[in-house]
Amino acid sequence: MKRPWFYVLLGGLVAGTFDITYASIFWYLKRAVLPTRVFQSVASGLVGDGSFTGGWRTALLGLMLHYFIAISMAITYYLVARRWSELWQKPWTYGPLYGVLPYRIMNYIVVPLSAANPGSRNLVWVVLSIIVHAFLIGTPCALFARRAMVASRLRVEQVPELLAAIGSRIGVLAQELHPGLLNARIPLGCFDEIEEPDERLIEPIGECLVGDPAVGGERLVGLGE
């Protein structure tokens, strides 16, 4: 089972990849702009117009800044979702709404305060950007936040039950693949959680009781012959 933060970071990476891929494809098709220049445009928010003459260094800086922002969005959504459960319980509702919110913040607050030039006002670009932010950025953040919450709700006391269930399934499969392979003794309690255990797996062998059950004795069964 992966740790919750693994899914949060993965959500940021997925959202960031969708976003930068969309921007790179759009501007290449519209004006033959190379992806490196798109990355440099992100870095220009930090270093100004000098970013466009910085070569691969500022392009790499822009790409790193882009993913830093995307991962920050995913972390923010997860942290808020931990206190407001509806955010992770209804990712398809709140994910798109969340995606549009950062879009507005970036374009109307962050960019004007940065060293970057104002963003394009091309209608097609704006409409597609809103759609992409809603469904390819906000929604992945919400879906992976949900996955992270599910992972974090796996309590320590549930682990033995999970292992016991997995072990029983493996035993059944091994017996089917190689009859007679298993000839071990296990406590009857291992089958307590199985509503209808396979009768083939519960066949007493030898003495069925070890000690006196009244004083803690344990009944043993065999798995096959």
Side-chain angles (χ1 to χ4, degrees):
M1 181 68 69
K2 301 292 186 181
R3 293 181 179 274
W5 285 108
F6 169 84
Y7 297 106
V8 177
L9 295 177
L10 185 59
L13 292 175
V14 170
T17 300
F18 279 142
D19 187 20
I20 202 66
T21 300
Y22 150 70
S24 298
I25 293 175
F26 179 91
W27 289 113
Y28 181 79
L29 294 177
K30 185 173 180 60
R31 296 181 182 173
V33 175
L34 294 177
T36 52
R37 191 165 181 84
V38 175
F39 304 159
Q40 290 171 338
S41 69
V42 179
S44 69
L46 187 64
V47 300
D49 290 341
S51 172
F52 298 106
T53 58
W56 66 268
R57 290 181 176 83
T58 52
L60 180 60
L61 173 62
L63 188 61
M64 293 174 63
L65 287 173
H66 169 76
Y67 276 105
F68 173 77
I69 294 172
I71 291 174
S72 297
M73 289 177 57
I75 292 175
T76 300
Y77 191 96
Y78 172 69
L79 291 177
V80 177
R82 293 178 63 179
R83 295 185 175 276
W84 187 13
S85 61
E86 285 196 353
L87 288 180
W88 66 268
Q89 292 174 349
K90 299 178 180 179
W92 292 104
T93 298
Y94 292 101
L97 295 177
Y98 179 69
V100 174
L101 178 62
Y103 172 79
R104 297 183 64 86
I105 293 175
M106 289 296 296
N107 284 274
Y108 295 100
I109 299 177
V110 177
V111 172
L113 294 176
S114 72
N117 294 319
S120 173
R121 297 302 178 186
N122 179 277
L123 181 60
V124 177
W125 165 256
V126 172
V127 172
L128 287 178
S129 294
I130 294 175
I131 294 174
V132 167
H133 274 75
F135 296 103
L136 297 183
I137 300 176
T139 300
C141 288
L143 291 175
F144 279 96
R146 175 185 177 88
R147 188 67 188 84
M149 289 298 299
V150 171
S152 68
R153 292 169 73 88
L154 180 64
R155 301 179 183 278
V156 175
E157 58 265 27
Q158 292 177 305
V159 174
E161 297 178 7
L162 178 62
L163 294 178
I166 294 175
S168 67
R169 297 301 180 186
I170 293 175
V172 172
L173 179 60
Q175 183 69 10
E176 291 177 350
L177 294 177
H178 197 304
L181 177 64
L182 298 178
N183 191 24
R185 294 186 172 188
I186 62 175
L188 260 179
C190 292
F191 294 94
D192 289 347
E193 299 300 325
I194 303 178
E195 296 181 359
E196 298 181 3
D198 192 331
E199 294 296 336
R200 295 174 300 169
L201 301 182
I202 308 180
E203 299 180 5
I205 57 176
E207 193 68 25
C208 295
L209 296 178
V210 177
D212 185 354
V215 293
E218 193 172 34
R219 182 177 181 180
L220 302 179
V221 297
L223 296 181
E225 291 294 340

